[in-house]
Amino acid sequence: MLNEKDIPTPLVEKKQRKKVEIVEELNNRRFSIAYVIWRFVVYFLGISFRRFIKKPDMQKTANGLREIFEELGGLWVKTGQLLALRTDLFPEEVCDQLLRLQYGAIGFPMEIVRSTIESELGVPMDKIFAAFDEEPIAAASIAQIHSAVLSKNKTTVVVKVQRPGLESAFQRDLEVIKLFTNLLKSFNIGTYLRLDDAVLEVERIFNEELDYRYEASNMRRMKKTLKKHGVYTPSVYRKYSKRRVLVMEYIPGVLMSDYIKVLNNDPAKVKKWDEENNVDREKVGEKLSLSLFRQIYEDNLYHADLHPGNIFLLRDSKFVLIDLGSVGSLDKDLKTNYSNYTAAMGKEDFPKAADYLIRFAVGIPRADIPRLRAEMARAVGNWSAKSRLDGLSFKEKSIGGASAELSKITAKYEVPSNWSFLKVTRSLLTLDGSLQYLTPNMNSIELINKYSKQAARRALAQNLNSKSIMASITGFLETVDEYNTLILPKIREQTIPYDGSLNKFAISLAFVLRMLSYATLIGGVVLAYAFLFQHHFAIIKLIHNQLFDEIAKQIPPILYMEWILIFIGITMIFRTLSTCSVILEQKEYEGKGIF
């Protein structure tokens, strides 16, 4: 549970919050396929009319599109947030508005809340909750949020109840989105965008968010990983969390969205609150960024929707991450490429960063690769120079801003989109919504380098851990076994057997390798004596002699864990040399493994 000393003083009183509007009869019929199509037709006719009268208004166009997505809610909000990543396709104003999509939904009545809870948990609601606030804390496109008190231990909790009729609405909306996608494909428009992958991503996200058991699982997993970051996440009550109901710990913190709103309207009030609660904005912003980097590159489990409504501020510059319905991870190759790309950015090796960016593409780009690489490197270099300047907007200097600029180049050369990479970009861009107020003068290159140093220290400590050493040995042996089982038979099949004796060169080389393996073994014995001399002298009291002692004294003191690494290395060298000599000495390959 959250430590009481971390609970801050209120910044916005409950009575100051806008109440959620409750509608007794939810009308879903207006969101039929015909209505959705009609809504977009009217929108595009309005754009065409403004162009015809030569009074285009990009901000009005952007606001209008956001309002449509917010009105339709549900799947459309998620789709709009995904489209916001395509800065290569849409003007900046449109992407900014879509990124801010927060569906301020109307609430549904208490009767539906009660029936949903009781049908999911299988018992009357009064047996679970000693108190239940019928007035929602918030309502969104997928759920309505209430506060309650558990009967069992009188603990205050948050209850997330799924909005009724979502599954049928989801299927209906998905059909419309697929219709638009197929229409574009039939005209061969934007094939490099891989819109089919985008539809699959939207479908996967929404299917997971329709089943709160996924979110409960994400909460448990991320609680373990984020604990190492010094970041708190709410505890989940598994007993009361089902497909359409999620019960979790109540967090009495200050929402980042409230903090930003008050900061814009009453900076003096925020300054006073910061002082009362020992909150340093820049420290919070830096910790948020470093934690997200660590989630992506080290944990490979990151919060994919870090908008200001999903961050709670606590005392002493601490914070809580909530709403873990959307998390992400990368496959091994993409994670390695992304990590190397970021490292190259930190070292300001922009051509190398461009090389890794090109490798993000799904398939081989049909483009002039050298020219694409040069343009990407130039764009990243320009961004790096801007990141050090004063007086520029946060967006121009942020990492998310750099990704947006690079997306325009990939679109220009029609590089196939990688939606997994874009999901990471979404997380960075949504976090920018908070960072622009917390760390407006942040130097992104310095931040990347700071993270890299911290990550290197953690990696070193992890590699010297006995469990990691054993895991490395196990991994090596598994690789050898995989070689013996899968690769070696293929080599044998494609090898032309020789009749007669082996050639003299192979025999000579085998002899040299065999001698080297014996020398390695002897060296290992000498080092083993030195190890015992330094750390376990009592063991060699009976066998030690002056010559061996003099040799051992010539070896400088070595830490215990470093000795283990040395012996692992010697063992691998010895086995490799022995194996190679055996292979060269064999007259023909036999159906046995290397080891």
Side-chain angles (χ1 to χ4, degrees), residues 81 87 91 122 129-130 145 280 347 357 362 368 390 409 431 512:
Q81 290 172 344
T87 52
F129 303 108
I145 313 296
D280 183 331
K347 294 174 184 176
L357 273 170
V362 180
D368 184 343
D390 296 327
I409 297 173
L431 183 58
V512 171

Side-chain angles (χ1 to χ4, degrees), residues 17-29:
R17 294 185 181 279
K18 184 181 178 181
K19 290 186 177 182
V20 176
E21 180 187 355
I22 304 295
V23 175
E24 293 301 322
E25 293 184 9
L26 296 175
N27 184 6
N28 289 321
R29 293 184 62 188

Side-chain angles (χ1 to χ4, degrees), residues 97-355:
Q97 288 299 316
L98 293 180
L99 201 62
R100 295 174 188 173
L101 273 172
Q102 294 297 317
Y103 181 56
I106 55 176
F108 47 92
M110 188 61 201
E111 289 75 14
I112 295 177
V113 173
R114 181 181 295 275
S115 65
T116 303
I117 292 174
E118 293 181 349
S119 64
E120 287 293 312
L121 301 183
V123 294
M125 201 172 80
D126 297 339
K127 288 190 175 182
I128 301 168
F129 303 108
F132 195 97
D133 191 348
E134 296 189 5
E135 184 179 317
I137 298 173
S141 58
I142 297 175
Q144 185 162 291
I145 313 296
H146 292 262
S147 63
V149 177
L150 290 176
S151 298
K152 188 174 182 180
N153 53 17
K154 307 303 179 186
T155 303
T156 303
V157 294
V158 167
V159 184
K160 186 174 181 179
V161 183
Q162 191 174 111
R163 182 172 290 276
L166 273 185
E167 290 189 29
S168 57
F170 163 72
Q171 292 298 334
R172 184 174 60 239
D173 293 342
L174 189 64
E175 289 302 318
V176 177
I177 292 171
K178 286 180 177 178
L179 178 66
F180 287 144
T181 302
N182 292 331
L183 189 64
L184 291 173
K185 282 174 64 179
S186 63
F187 287 102
N188 202 29
I189 298 173
T191 53
Y192 72 94
L193 296 174
R194 301 181 69 89
L195 293 175
D196 287 343
D197 290 349
V199 172
L200 289 173
E201 177 67 13
V202 171
E203 189 171 7
R204 186 193 64 78
I205 290 172
F206 214 79
N207 279 329
E208 288 184 3
E209 295 200 7
L210 281 177
D211 189 339
Y212 292 159
R213 289 171 295 189
Y214 284 105
E215 183 171 352
S217 174
N218 294 339
M219 291 174 72
R220 293 193 298 272
R221 291 166 64 204
M222 290 204 73
K223 194 170 188 68
K224 291 179 182 178
T225 57
L226 291 178
K227 186 177 181 180
K228 299 175 184 177
H229 304 205
V231 175
Y232 194 82
T233 58
S235 299
V236 62
Y237 291 84
R238 298 176 69 172
K239 183 179 178 181
Y240 308 120
S241 297
K242 304 297 180 182
R243 189 175 65 87
R244 294 187 297 156
V245 175
L246 183 66
V247 179
M248 67 195 103
E249 178 185 354
Y250 175 77
I251 301 296
V254 171
L255 267 177
M256 181 69 77
S257 54
D258 288 341
Y259 183 89
I260 292 171
K261 190 181 296 182
V262 177
L263 180 63
N264 287 329
N265 297 328
D266 192 351
K269 184 177 181 180
V270 169
K271 184 179 179 182
K272 183 181 177 183
W273 184 87
D274 287 344
E275 291 171 352
E276 286 176 355
N277 296 280
N278 190 31
V279 171
D280 183 331
R281 279 181 232 163
E282 291 196 359
K283 188 176 180 180
V284 173
E286 184 178 278
K287 285 174 66 177
L288 277 165
S289 298
L290 293 175
S291 176
L292 181 56
F293 289 159
R294 190 172 175 182
Q295 291 171 44
I296 296 169
Y297 303 127
E298 297 176 56
D299 304 335
N300 198 21
L301 182 67
Y302 63 91
H303 197 307
D305 193 14
L306 278 174
H307 64 76
N310 285 339
I311 303 169
F312 272 108
L313 293 173
L314 305 176
R315 284 184 180 273
D316 302 321
S317 302
K318 297 178 182 178
F319 54 86
V320 178
L321 302 184
I322 64 168
D323 194 1
L324 296 167
S326 181
V327 300
S329 59
L330 303 173
D331 63 56
K332 185 178 179 181
D333 289 341
L334 184 57
K335 178 175 173 286
T336 301
N337 287 337
Y338 198 80
S339 179
N340 290 335
Y341 157 70
T342 305
M345 293 269 280
K347 294 174 184 176
E348 301 189 58
D349 188 347
F350 304 128
K352 183 180 285 188
D355 287 337

